[in-house]
Amino acid sequence: MIQLYHADMSTCAQKVRLVLEHKELAWNSHLLNLRQRDQHEPQYLKLNPNGVVPTLIDGGNVIIESTVICEYLDDAYPEKSLVPDAPENKALMRQWTKWLDEFLHFHTGVLSGSIAFRFQHLARPKDELEAYLSGIPDLRRRKRQRQQIELGLEAPQFRESILAFEIFLEKLEKQLKKTEWMAGDTYSLADIGYTPYVTRLYELKLENWLSNRPEIEAWFEKIKKQTNYTNAYLNWKNQAYCDLMAEKGLEAWPRIERILIENPDN
Ligand SMILES: N[C@@H](CCC(=O)N[C@@H](CS)C(=O)NCC(=O)O)C(=O)O
């Protein structure tokens, strides 16, 4: 049976669970606690040297990188395909998922970390925090984590990440004016990829950001109605994380609004 190493609130793990549940595949859960540093355990690093979730094992094959895992699942289990037939829509889907990996995922990490998750890290003893930081294999990620934990909304990349999210929302609204789903007229890996990232805005109670974006709101209503959203997201929701995100996100909104208003492109 398929084995998935994942975490309840990880956006990348949510993507993979959305695919597994859409395809109604049976899978075994190996739930990691990222705050307890399960992802840095030597046994896990043998599977995923980057020290991140998710990791999928299927028939002895170890697959890492959430976008690659999603594509793998669609190739290996083609029923209820999530890849559009038309080559141009397939290309559009891949442009979206590539942009997610190269751009938006990083900025979402800054947003969630600087606004909310830093408080989980600050609550632990200093030596535990240092052990966590020095266990992060990727040095760029390690530096970013330290800055967002120590500086929060004052972290140098916070403003840039807000503006990056604004670019994303503009781009998505524009796309959804043209097509029913993100990569054409069918639900695809692009919609699945971005579902956790739009969900994150609601978790952080930043939905005001969407108030002039009716296409995204309508798209998200359709997303929430799919059974995989219940099975892959709602059923795995960590209430303590959501409470923290809601509280800290509401506090951060005036600051975010100011950044958006001051944005020279506005
Ligand atoms: N490019 C990787 C990124 C994975 C990633 O960033 N995972 C995060 C959770 S969304 C993680 O495991 N973080 C570990 C940590 O916080 O130490 C993928 O798409 O699988």
Side-chain angles (χ1 to χ4, degrees):
M1 196 192 292
I2 295 171
Q3 312 291 321
L4 179 67
Y5 292 77
H6 63 134
D8 45 17
M9 296 304 286
S10 145
T11 48
C12 296
Q14 287 164 350
K15 275 158 66 175
V16 173
R17 292 201 302 262
L18 284 164
V19 174
L20 289 167
E21 295 297 339
H22 171 84
K23 290 180 173 283
E24 300 174 59
L25 296 170
W27 58 283
N28 236 335
S29 162
H30 301 263
L31 194 62
L32 272 66
N33 184 329
L34 301 183
R35 299 296 175 264
Q36 280 173 12
R37 302 185 54 217
D38 294 348
Q39 72 277 29
H40 298 160
E41 286 295 327
Q43 279 307 101
Y44 184 69
L45 288 172
K46 280 189 197 151
L47 299 175
N48 190 326
N50 300 330
V52 293
V53 289
T55 300
L56 184 113
I57 305 184
D58 189 21
N61 301 308
V62 178
I63 300 157
I64 62 170
E65 285 299 319
S66 56
T67 297
V68 177
I69 297 173
C70 292
E71 289 249 9
Y72 165 82
L73 286 171
D74 204 73
D75 284 338
Y77 303 94
E79 286 219 353
K80 295 185 82 180
S81 174
L82 287 160
V83 175
D85 288 334
E88 62 277 18
N89 289 342
K90 211 175 279 186
L92 182 57
M93 179 198 90
R94 293 203 170 111
Q95 280 164 22
W96 275 115
T97 56
K98 187 169 159 63
W99 198 71
L100 182 57
D101 287 343
E102 291 178 354
F103 186 77
L104 196 74
H105 176 66
F106 172 86
H107 293 296
T108 307
V110 173
L111 220 74
S112 317
S114 307
I115 294 176
F117 295 149
R118 68 184 289 249
F119 293 99
Q120 296 172 329
H121 294 289
L122 289 171
R124 61 216 302 210
K126 199 155 174 36
D127 56 335
E128 257 183 46
L129 174 59
E130 286 305 321
Y132 164 70
L133 288 170
S134 58
I136 298 175
D138 178 344
L139 295 182
R140 182 168 167 249
R141 190 181 188 119
R142 192 187 294 181
K143 183 173 167 210
R144 180 199 83 187
Q145 277 282 22
R146 180 180 290 285
Q147 285 177 330
Q148 67 200 29
I149 291 169
E150 289 175 353
L151 303 171
L153 308 192
E154 303 308 321
Q157 58 279 67
F158 185 69
R159 183 177 177 280
E160 189 194 329
S161 292
I162 294 299
L163 298 180
F165 229 91
E166 175 69 7
I167 290 171
F168 159 58
L169 295 176
E170 286 287 341
K171 196 171 145 84
L172 181 57
E173 182 71 10
K174 212 163 142 192
Q175 179 68 53
L176 294 171
K177 277 198 170 87
K178 290 191 286 196
T179 52
E180 189 186 343
W181 295 98
M182 288 176 69
D185 55 5
T186 57
Y187 177 67
S188 76
L189 291 180
D191 303 286
I192 286 203
Y194 284 83
T195 293
Y197 296 82
V198 174
T199 298
R200 182 54 49 93
L201 282 188
Y202 285 92
E203 288 167 341
L204 288 163
K205 298 276 175 230
L206 301 178
E207 57 261 42
N208 277 353
W209 214 337
L210 295 175
S211 55
N212 287 324
R213 293 182 164 124
E215 300 293 340
I216 301 180
E217 284 183 319
W219 169 83
F220 195 60
E221 284 308 309
K222 285 190 296 183
I223 292 279
K224 284 192 295 183
K225 287 198 184 108
Q226 314 242 45
T227 328
N228 63 348
Y229 193 77
T230 303
N231 294 341
Y233 172 66
L234 294 175
N235 290 351
W236 289 93
K237 219 167 147 178
N238 181 323
Q239 202 50 50
Y241 277 51
C242 289
D243 291 345
L244 177 69
M245 282 194 276
E247 181 196 337
K248 301 297 178 188
L250 280 172
E251 285 171 20
W253 175 246
R255 175 66 187 277
I256 295 173
E257 226 178 355
R258 238 183 3 259
I259 294 173
L260 293 172
I261 291 166
E262 287 163 8
N263 176 12
D265 292 339
N266 269 339

